[in-house]
Amino acid sequence: MRKPIMAEQKSIKKRKMALWAIFIMVVLGVAAQLLFTNKVKSVLAKDVPAHIHLEYSSLVTNVLLGSITLDSISFDHKEQLFNVQAKQVKVSGLGFWALLTKGDISISDLSLEEPIMVLQNKKKDSTKTPSNSSKKNDSTIISIENFSIKKGQLEVLANQTDSTQLSIQDLNFSVSEIQFSPETAQNKIPFTYNSYELSTQKLYYDMGPYEFLQLDALQFTPEESHITNLVLRSKYSRDELSKKLLKERDHFDLAIHTITLNQFQFGYTAEELQLHIQEITLQEPYFQVYRDKLLPDDTSHKKLYNQALRDLPLNLQVDTIAIQNGTLTYEERLEYDVDPHSLRFTELSAHINNLHSKNEGKVRVNTEAQLMGDGYLTLDWSFDPQSKANNFLASGTLSDFETESINPFLKTNLRAEVTGTVNQMYFTISGNEVKASGDMKMNYDQFEFVVLKKDRLGVNKLLTAVVNIFARKNSDTDPEGYRYGYFEVERNTDKSFFNYLWINLKAGLLHTVTGSGKKKK
């Protein structure tokens, strides 16, 4: 009988010890939880800098999971004019061991739920020299395995005016393996990271006094990104813009159905931003350009594309740009009482290879389009951004073009009309910053000019007759039906590259039609 009694007593003793152990663990857990909660409250109440105002409706912590949850939080940075109001901010997976032994902060997840973020741009005080002493003395390492913003809104206000400079709706952003250390703090990007994803709806960006950019959706990763329904257009109507301008400026409306970017990489080497994109595809861009020539000319120097790329404040490299099924229209108003007609390029496609600002090799552009919905036009163009002389080479063709289709544009812009068919035209232009030369050959039928009266309501028979005296007939051709022309032009440096291209083509057409038509030997 004694052994069963002793066994029972030992069992009771073990149960009591287990209960005591559980009780102690519960007490310690409760104490740790209370201590952790009070410590978090104390830090939020006392250790937040004076220039930051922080409010929240409730605080929930879990010492076992290392989690902190703040509900209905409001964060106001008075010096940087930055305000955040969020439904919830949650920290989880707080590493106590690294915090207690090294003072480092290690977090598994940091998330912001439905934040509304408002930042006001502030002019930098050039008289102040930023101090790096805090960065040098602070040896804390901050590691965040996953950071996310869910269903956020961002608004950036312009300095002084408080007008919206940038607005983003339904912002979702995540980035992994963030690490901030005294070493990374010295870099342009003061932390390292691994992968990231960004998606938004309804982005608006104010580009300045006259234009804005807007898009419906953005899905962005370094591997592949998509932009949907991008528009970049003037803020005002054509007439309203002309009233606000002191000199010529294009009124434009650009809409692109879809933009795709593949293999997007960026970073800094020393002080220079590096941007490399493997491929960009623009689907169905529609670009309308209007110029009011009644305004005074903008006589500032216009950079050719060599110099424009070379002067960019970053190292840009885009391997390939593809444009698919685009449309480009151009109109000029030359007189108050004459409505302009457009020059149209439809079914436009292009490939741009090796676009760069600091690297080596030529940028090559190959385009094709329908001119006025009729003639097939091609343009091949190459240039080296590192050429200080801004050298370029362009060549192209025009085939099966019924010239009557361009008459509405010629009538309003040149007070002229043309008849006949361009069966085939070839041209080559070689130029630099100040001058260009080239050659042209053209096969055409019944090519004649009609010069209109000043009111454009009738034909100036005298000028028409004079012009057509100099226009050679089809009989003055080589055995294959071609006439040849040669030309040299000087560039007006306050005009664009495309004006430069146009005056070359105009000189080539004039000499081809009115010159001897003979091929140089």
Side-chain angles (χ1 to χ4, degrees), residues 460-507:
N460 188 321
K461 295 182 179 179
L462 176 62
L463 284 179
T464 297
V466 171
V467 169
N468 285 307
I469 288 174
F470 292 97
R472 305 303 177 96
K473 303 302 179 182
N474 300 65
S475 57
D476 300 322
T477 64
D478 70 3
E480 295 180 349
Y482 285 96
R483 289 181 54 80
Y484 295 83
Y486 303 90
F487 53 91
E488 291 184 1
V489 302
E490 291 187 3
R491 182 191 173 212
N492 186 341
T493 57
D494 64 9
K495 303 296 183 183
S496 70
F497 170 78
F498 291 103
N499 173 269
Y500 197 12
L501 185 65
W502 162 240
I503 64 174
N504 276 275
L505 292 174
K506 185 167 65 172

Side-chain angles (χ1 to χ4, degrees), residues 11-78:
S11 178
I12 293 171
K13 187 176 181 180
K14 288 180 180 180
R15 286 198 294 269
K16 286 182 179 180
M17 290 177 66
L19 289 171
W20 274 107
I22 292 172
F23 176 73
I24 292 171
M25 289 178 65
V26 169
V27 170
L28 289 174
V30 171
Q33 178 65 46
L34 291 173
L35 180 64
F36 181 54
T37 300
N38 289 332
K39 181 63 177 176
V40 172
K41 287 181 177 179
S42 175
V43 168
L44 294 176
K46 298 178 181 179
D47 293 350
V48 174
H51 58 269
I52 293 177
H53 180 71
L54 179 67
E55 291 183 352
Y56 54 91
S57 64
S58 63
L59 168 67
V60 178
T61 64
N62 188 316
V63 69
L64 296 177
L65 299 177
S67 67
I68 304 168
T69 303
L70 298 172
D71 292 320
S72 302
I73 187 171
S74 175
F75 172 96
D76 191 12
H77 195 301
K78 299 175 183 177

Side-chain angles (χ1 to χ4, degrees), residues 210 241-242 245-251 290-300 302 330 332-334 494-496 499:
Y210 305 112
L241 181 63
S242 294
L245 295 175
L246 300 177
K247 56 186 178 181
E248 280 184 8
R249 183 185 182 91
D250 289 341
H251 179 285
Y290 166 82
R291 180 170 294 180
D292 188 347
K293 299 294 289 183
L294 299 174
L295 291 167
D297 288 341
D298 177 5
T299 58
S300 62
K302 306 302 186 299
Y330 178 75
E332 284 185 353
R333 178 174 290 279
L334 297 173
D494 64 9
K495 303 296 183 183
S496 70
N499 173 269

Side-chain angles (χ1 to χ4, degrees), residues 253-257 283-288 325-329 344:
D253 187 344
L254 170 64
I256 306 176
H257 183 267
Q283 295 182 349
E284 299 180 25
Y286 192 95
F287 195 18
Q288 293 178 295
N325 196 25
T327 299
L328 170 63
T329 68
R344 299 190 316 278

